Amino acid sequence: MFPNRNVRPSSAYCSQDYDELNVWQEKGNIFLYLRSSSEGAFCAVQLLSIFRTDLSVTWESSTGLAVLWLDGRHSKTTRSSLVFLSFWSFTTSKMRWMLFLLCVLLALTCSDQSGLTDKGLFFPKPSANSFVKLTALKPLNLEAFTLCMRLFVNPAVVNKGNRDTILFAYCTTEGDELNVWQEKGKISLYLRSSSDGVFYAVQPLSIFGTDLCITWESRTGLTAFWVDGRRSTLQVYRKKHKVQSGGAVILGQDPDSFVGSFDINQSFVGEISDVNMWDYLLTDDQIKNFNEKVWVGPAPNVLNWNTVQYEVNGNVREVPEKYK
């Protein structure tokens, strides 16, 4: 059982015939193996510490969702194509420390639904056909906006080399209208362009979650990025520009044609939630409050995560409240 490994398991459970459940740290990741020594689910986390790490692993067969908890912080949801086992575990809603992985292969179908209160959308792996289309509350004739979202990513994919990852896309039949990317270690915003953008060098998106907001105003061109409640320096971008209506809001993919022609190497991998948009600038204090679980600011009037109409396509799962 794992005869050639140079690492030691954090926890192991084996039967007479199989490695039934093993947890490893290897190659900078934490791995869970169920009745396998080669096919496992993993999450890239910081190395275990000399100063102690609180770590747990839970697995639930009924939903196929997976979440990591390390020293009280949870990762993105994950899953893998592990063989289904009649192994039962449970999760508790009041865990002071927990690492949670849930691994089972589930098929998903396209659906039209409304409202994602206390839920997230999970994109488990790179894809050229998995995306979610959001229906805005009003046409996106924008001379200013505040766009906020919460992101949990798989850093082994999203932060790999020079990979570009789409975070938010709004396109019309004429082309890209408003796109947000992580590319080459920076967060970027493009308005009606795929080459002329504004860039912010921030730390890479995290497996344990990032609160991201972007503000832009046509009158002055002033643009700012907010990461976990902290504002970047201001930049001037697209002064006197206006975002055009008549397009589609897409999560998970960058459309090279209108809601089509997706590139697997630019797809989003991880969880995204609380995508909200206003057609004006929120105040500093309001944006800082976005970090709080209960939003007490003005109701979003362009995209409202709690009431939004959405269409799921391909391999995308809803993350229920108990994992948030």
Side-chain angles (χ1 to χ4, degrees), residues 84-277:
F84 179 84
L85 300 177
S86 297
F87 176 83
W88 295 95
S89 182
F90 65 94
T91 61
T92 175
S93 60
K94 294 183 178 180
M95 286 177 286
R96 185 173 60 85
W97 52 271
M98 184 177 82
L99 169 66
F100 172 79
L101 284 86
L102 176 63
C103 309
V104 68
L105 183 64
L106 297 176
L108 302 173
T109 58
C110 173
S111 60
D112 293 309
Q113 302 173 68
S114 63
L116 285 160
T117 302
D118 293 326
K119 294 181 180 179
L121 296 170
F122 170 45
F123 301 80
K125 61 183 180 180
S127 167
N129 55 17
S130 298
F131 67 98
V132 177
K133 181 180 178 182
L134 305 182
T135 301
L137 295 171
K138 59 167 59 176
L140 272 73
N141 293 313
L142 303 176
E143 296 185 8
F145 66 80
T146 301
L147 173 65
C148 292
M149 65 192 80
R150 289 191 172 95
L151 304 162
F152 294 78
V153 303
N154 183 341
V157 177
V158 171
N159 297 335
K160 184 177 181 179
N162 291 324
R163 189 184 197 273
D164 298 338
T165 299
I166 190 67
L167 306 180
F168 179 92
Y170 170 64
C171 65
T172 67
T173 55
E174 301 299 321
D176 295 324
E177 192 66 26
L178 193 168
N179 282 6
V180 181
W181 292 83
Q182 173 172 282
E183 51 181 330
K184 301 176 180 62
K186 298 179 180 180
I187 302 294
S188 58
L189 168 68
Y190 293 88
L191 297 180
R192 198 174 302 164
S193 175
S194 59
S195 57
D196 180 19
V198 60
F199 298 83
Y200 286 89
V202 300
Q203 63 186 28
L205 298 177
S206 170
I207 193 173
F208 293 109
T210 301
D211 290 341
L212 176 66
C213 291
I214 303 157
T215 58
W216 172 81
E217 182 182 43
S218 173
R219 182 177 60 86
T220 61
L222 291 178
T223 307
F225 279 54
W226 299 73
V227 177
D228 294 333
R230 299 180 64 191
R231 180 176 69 79
S232 70
T233 183
L234 294 170
Q235 295 192 45
V236 176
Y237 177 62
R238 293 290 192 184
K239 186 176 180 180
K240 304 301 183 182
H241 176 74
K242 183 176 180 179
V243 177
Q244 298 299 311
S245 61
V249 176
I250 302 296
L251 302 180
Q253 299 286 350
D254 171 44
D256 289 330
S257 62
F258 188 63
V259 197
S261 301
F262 302 134
D263 184 345
I264 189 173
N265 295 314
Q266 297 177 336
S267 60
F268 180 79
V269 183
E271 289 177 52
I272 186 168
S273 68
D274 298 293
V275 179
N276 292 295
M277 192 175 200

Side-chain angles (χ1 to χ4, degrees), residues 14-27:
C14 62
S15 66
Q16 183 175 354
D17 299 316
Y18 299 105
D19 290 310
E20 286 287 339
L21 191 164
N22 282 1
V23 180
W24 293 78
Q25 175 177 285
E26 51 180 325
K27 303 181 181 69

